[in-house]
Amino acid sequence: MTTGLVRVYLPATIAQLGPLRLKEPFGPSPVAHAVTPDLREWYAEGDEEELEYVAFTRAAQEALRLLRHDPTAKRRRVVISADVPAHTVGRLDRDLGSSLVQVSSPVPFEAVAAIHVDSAHAEEAVAAAAAVVEEAAAGDPDAQFTVDGAEDHELEWYDPSELDQVLP
């Protein structure tokens, strides 16, 4: 990655937002997504906004995996958008089109630009998608249809100061 700040998209669950409510750092997260050189090369015609949307969408898909592995978590995808120092971001995958990165240190509350969360209306679709997300990734067309149903729900945008509206 380059010098300066990098916008990363960190998948999470609602319960994982607890430290941010206390203005404590988030993470470190094992995986995140960002606009990488590999993503730029793969999506050569896309502008910055389109590339960021791809990385954001992939983080939302990763949030489904978190939900699959935590059956007690509220069935809502969460993506944290944060601006972190470039030297803390490392690429995990060099495949063409990959947006997969890792942030090597916890993300300070002050670095969080926004928190994106599904509305209550999306819970049923998200629960169904979380149950089959791995099958969709393996190529099952029925599972992919279910995951697409969750992706039809746009995540709502919250300022970090609005966490009390998101957390129970």
Side-chain angles (χ1 to χ4, degrees), residues 19-150:
L20 289 177
R21 176 185 250 166
L22 303 172
K23 295 190 170 46
E24 293 175 1
F26 177 83
S29 178
V31 297
H33 289 269
V35 177
T36 64
D38 300 309
L39 182 60
R40 284 184 198 288
E41 184 178 344
W42 171 75
Y43 205 84
E45 299 297 319
D47 63 20
E48 194 68 19
E49 188 173 322
E50 290 170 314
L51 293 170
E52 287 183 4
Y53 186 75
V54 169
F56 174 85
T57 301
R58 289 178 180 172
Q61 291 169 349
E62 198 69 41
L64 288 173
R65 287 184 176 87
L66 294 175
L67 293 173
R68 179 180 178 132
H69 297 292
D70 184 357
T72 64
K74 196 169 202 173
R75 304 284 99 176
R76 295 187 187 181
R77 297 168 297 166
V78 175
V79 175
I80 300 167
S81 297
D83 299 313
V84 299
H87 71 274
T88 67
V89 179
R91 292 178 6 203
L92 288 176
D93 184 352
R94 303 271 175 160
D95 288 343
L96 186 62
S98 177
S99 61
L100 197 59
V101 297
Q102 181 175 30
V103 181
S104 62
S105 59
V107 175
F109 177 81
E110 298 76 22
V112 176
I115 299 164
H116 312 270
V117 181
D118 274 310
S119 71
H121 299 347
E123 285 185 14
E124 186 177 324
V126 169
V132 298
V133 66
E134 297 299 341
E135 291 82 352
D140 180 317
D142 292 331
Q144 186 60 53
F145 182 78
T146 302
V147 169
D148 290 345

